[in-house]
């Protein structure tokens, strides 16, 4: 890909998402985080494929078999829950979550970084406060099993722990990236003076 195409692609991305201009971590740490992101996204995509297969099996069983398979609806529901839980951190890191963008495009690079750090800090505090209660909720599933699959509900309820743990981890990462970007943005200005 030529440098002109990359520049156009970056400009198009920035016009769609003003917060994408905050630089991500680079080097070995950035590659490790990228690998972890890829792992979580791969698991989420596998869950999505499994949902599609399960729903297709359910439709085929209702149309072509004399009996309807009862466990497919429950399995697709649990797969959907884990798909969301596994992808929540990566979605937050890539700024693909739902947000209201009224003024982001008017902010300079340093203010965008500060805004990202603030938002990630608020999400991280919320996840930190909720995480112990998510663990208590998950423990409620130790004596319950799902109706048709007979899976201990601990595994299903544990998705809340995964969700808030990933939100906490990725919000700390986003806050760190925002703070580092603020420091980098101020360094060239100081050198110019």
């Amino acid at each position: 890909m030529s440098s002109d195409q990359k520049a156009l692609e970056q400009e198009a991305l920035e016009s769609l998402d003003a917060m994408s201009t905050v630089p991500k971590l680079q080097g070995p740490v950035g590659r490790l985080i990228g690998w972890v992101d890829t792992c979580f996204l791969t698991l989420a995509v596998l869950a999505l494929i499994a949902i599609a297969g399960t729903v297709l099996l359910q439709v085929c069983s209702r149309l072509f078999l004399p009996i309807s398979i009862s466990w497919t609806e429950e399995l697709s529901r649990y797969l959907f829950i884990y798909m969301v839980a596994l992808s929540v951190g990566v979605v937050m890191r890539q700024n693909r979550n739902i947000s209201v963008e009224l003024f982001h495009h008017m902010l300079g690079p340093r203010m965008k970084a500060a805004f990202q750090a603030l938002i990630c800090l608020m999400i991280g505090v919320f996840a930190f406060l909720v995480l112990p209660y998510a663990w208590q909720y998950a423990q409620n599933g130790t004596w319950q099993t799902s109706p048709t699959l007979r899976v201990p509900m601990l595994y299903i309820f544990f998705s809340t722990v995964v969700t808030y743990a990933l939100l906490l981890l990725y919000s700390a990462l986003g806050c760190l990236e925002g703070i580092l970007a603020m420091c980098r943005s101020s360094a060239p200005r100081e050198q110019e003076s």
Side-chain angles (χ1 to χ4, degrees):
M1 185 181 281
S2 72
S3 61
D4 291 337
Q5 288 175 328
K6 286 183 183 180
L8 286 173
E9 184 178 299
Q10 183 65 25
E11 186 179 321
L13 181 62
E14 288 174 13
S15 70
L16 292 174
D17 180 20
M19 296 306 292
S20 66
T21 59
V22 178
K24 304 294 180 203
L25 290 174
Q26 303 294 318
V29 174
R31 285 191 297 274
L32 176 66
I33 293 167
W35 182 80
V36 171
D37 289 351
T38 303
C39 288
F40 282 122
L41 284 178
T42 302
L43 290 172
V45 167
L46 288 174
L48 180 62
I49 292 169
I51 290 170
T54 304
V55 170
L56 184 63
L57 177 65
Q58 182 180 31
V59 169
C60 289
S61 73
R62 288 183 182 193
L63 291 175
F64 304 117
L65 296 177
I67 58 165
S68 178
I69 301 174
S70 61
W71 53 265
T72 54
E73 182 180 344
E74 189 175 299
L75 179 61
S76 64
R77 188 178 315 127
Y78 298 153
L79 287 168
F80 178 75
I81 290 168
Y82 266 97
M83 179 187 71
V84 171
L86 292 169
S87 63
V88 69
V90 180
V91 166
M92 185 176 137
R93 178 166 161 74
Q94 294 178 353
N95 296 310
R96 299 291 182 244
N97 48 344
I98 296 173
S99 64
V100 179
E101 295 183 1
L102 296 176
F103 58 88
H104 295 130
H105 63 282
M106 294 186 286
L107 298 175
R110 190 171 184 192
M111 287 307 295
K112 286 179 185 176
F115 185 74
Q116 176 178 315
L118 175 67
I119 294 298
C120 288
L121 179 66
M122 291 185 341
I123 292 171
V125 167
F126 176 74
F128 179 76
L129 293 174
V130 173
L131 192 56
Y133 298 104
W135 177 247
Q136 287 177 356
Y137 174 69
Q139 288 177 332
N140 287 338
T142 54
W143 61 84
Q144 300 174 14
T145 58
S146 64
T148 56
L149 291 173
R150 297 289 177 210
V151 175
M153 291 302 287
L154 171 69
Y155 300 127
I156 310 306
F157 293 167
F158 191 73
S159 64
T160 58
V161 176
V162 171
T163 300
Y164 289 109
L166 288 176
L167 276 176
L168 182 60
L169 174 72
Y170 277 92
S171 64
L173 182 62
C175 192
L176 177 66
E177 287 174 342
I179 291 169
L180 289 175
M182 282 189 318
C183 293
R184 280 190 219 128
S185 296
S186 63
R189 290 179 186 165
E190 291 172 4
Q191 291 173 354
E192 290 172 3
S193 301

